[in-house]
Each structure stands twice: as C-alpha cells, then as structure tokens.
C-alpha cells in the first residue's frame, strides 16, 4: 500500500529539517527501508523512516488541529473563528472555552452549543478576559516604567483587594492613575 501525500510531505520536511543532502537521504532510505526513493515506501516502511528521522533529531510540528478544537468547527456559527483567534491570542486551550460554556450554560463543550446567542456569549466572556489581561499588562508596564513596586501606591490606596488582578474596574482605575503619574512626570 502506498503512503499518503501527508506522510510523504512529512518525510521531506524531516529531510529538510535535518539538512540531509540527497546522497545521505537516499542512503538512509536504503538502510532503513530497502528503497532508494520515498515514493517506493509502503506505510510500514514510511513509519520506520519517520522513527529514524526522529531518532536523528527531527521534531515533527504539532498537528494543525488544535488540541480540543471542536470536531464540528466548520458547522458552528461564524463567531467560533473569533473564539479560536481569542484563545490563540491569549495562548489558551479550547478547554478554557469549554469551561466557559459549562459555567454559563451547563453544556460541557462549545461544540455542543445549539444557539448562536450562546456562542456569542462565550465570545463576550473571552473578550472580557482578553481585556483584563490587556489592562493587567498595562498596569505592569506602567509600574515598571515608573519604578513603582506596588500599584496601590499610585492609586492612593493602602491595599488592593486580594483579587484585584481579575477586576476590570480596579484595573481600569490603576491604568488611569498610573498614566496620570507618567503624564505628570513627562510634563514636569
């Protein structure tokens, strides 16, 4: 049985990644599989060649299918693509969106949401998380720029609540206070 185009591509990617010239590559094929061309490989031989490439240091790229990505991705509302982009931007797995769906609607997976409004609600929750992370990054950057170790100093507070890093109103107020301090230092 001949190998798939995907397997053939993987073999050629491995060859390139390892920087093998043609003679060394063909020698490996002959030694491992008894052939001189990858087009002559059967499935078993191709597996042996790929294992040999990995032994030599080839690191296959992760599967393009993101871990946990809904199996019915293309049948879901268009907003699912935005959810995927937000998860990627925040470097979060699909299981994060699944937890939101479970918490909001009692549905274990985003893929199982039936209504567009539900998908939009998950999207909105991810947008809030993205905003929180952006605000927190701004607070941290402004503190570093201003040489402030404790952001509550800038806000004129003695202490911030324990979970201040998760509260948008507090984060927004801190960004404003820190930005005012930065502006005043530049002006004065």
């Amino acid at each position: 049985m001949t190998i798939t185009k995907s397997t053939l591509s993987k073999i050629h990617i491995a060859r390139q990644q390892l920087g093998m010239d043609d003679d060394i590559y063909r020698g490996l094929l002959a030694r491992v599989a008894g052939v001189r061309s990858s087009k002559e490989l059967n499935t078993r031989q191709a597996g042996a060649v790929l294992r040999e490439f990995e032994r030599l240091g080839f690191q296959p790229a992760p599967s393009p299918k993101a871990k946990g990505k809904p199996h019915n991705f293309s049948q879901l509302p268009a907003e699912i693509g935005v959810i995927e982009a937000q998860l990627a931007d925040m470097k979060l797995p699909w299981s994060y969106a699944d937890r939101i769906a479970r918490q909001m609607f009692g549905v274990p997976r985003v893929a199982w949401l039936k209504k567009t409004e539900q998908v939009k609600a998950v999207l909105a929750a991810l947008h809030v998380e993205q905003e929180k992370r952006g605000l927190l990054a701004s607070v941290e950057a402004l503190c570093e720029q201003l040489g402030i170790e404790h952001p509550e100093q800038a806000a004129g507070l003695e202490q911030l609540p324990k979970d201040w890093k998760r509260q948008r109103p507090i984060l927004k107020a801190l960004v404003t206070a820190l930005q005012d301090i930065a502006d005043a230092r530049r002006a004065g």
Side-chain angles (χ1 to χ4, degrees), residues 133-144:
R133 288 173 182 232
L135 288 166
L136 182 58
S138 295
V139 167
E140 290 169 350
L142 284 163
C143 282
E144 185 176 330

Side-chain angles (χ1 to χ4, degrees), residues 182-188:
D183 293 344
R185 286 188 184 176
R186 275 194 293 273

Side-chain angles (χ1 to χ4, degrees), residues 58-144:
F58 168 59
Q59 297 188 356
S63 170
K65 182 178 178 180
K67 185 177 181 192
K69 183 174 180 176
H71 66 285
N72 59 345
F73 184 85
S74 60
Q75 286 83 43
L76 293 170
E79 290 81 9
I80 200 73
V82 182
I83 288 174
E84 180 178 41
Q86 285 183 319
L87 291 170
D89 180 61
M90 292 185 280
K91 296 176 177 57
L92 294 170
W94 276 96
S95 60
Y96 189 88
D98 289 341
R99 282 194 303 275
I100 293 172
R102 186 174 24 258
Q103 185 177 21
M104 293 177 84
F105 306 107
V107 176
R109 300 209 179 274
V110 171
W112 298 348
L113 294 175
K114 299 286 185 211
K115 300 177 184 169
T116 302
E117 302 82 50
Q118 293 173 320
V119 176
K120 286 181 179 180
V122 171
L123 179 61
L126 284 168
H127 178 73
V128 168
E129 179 62 25
Q130 199 170 31
E131 184 182 9
K132 286 178 190 176
R133 288 173 182 232
L135 288 166
L136 182 58
S138 295
V139 167
E140 290 169 350
L142 284 163
C143 282
E144 185 176 330

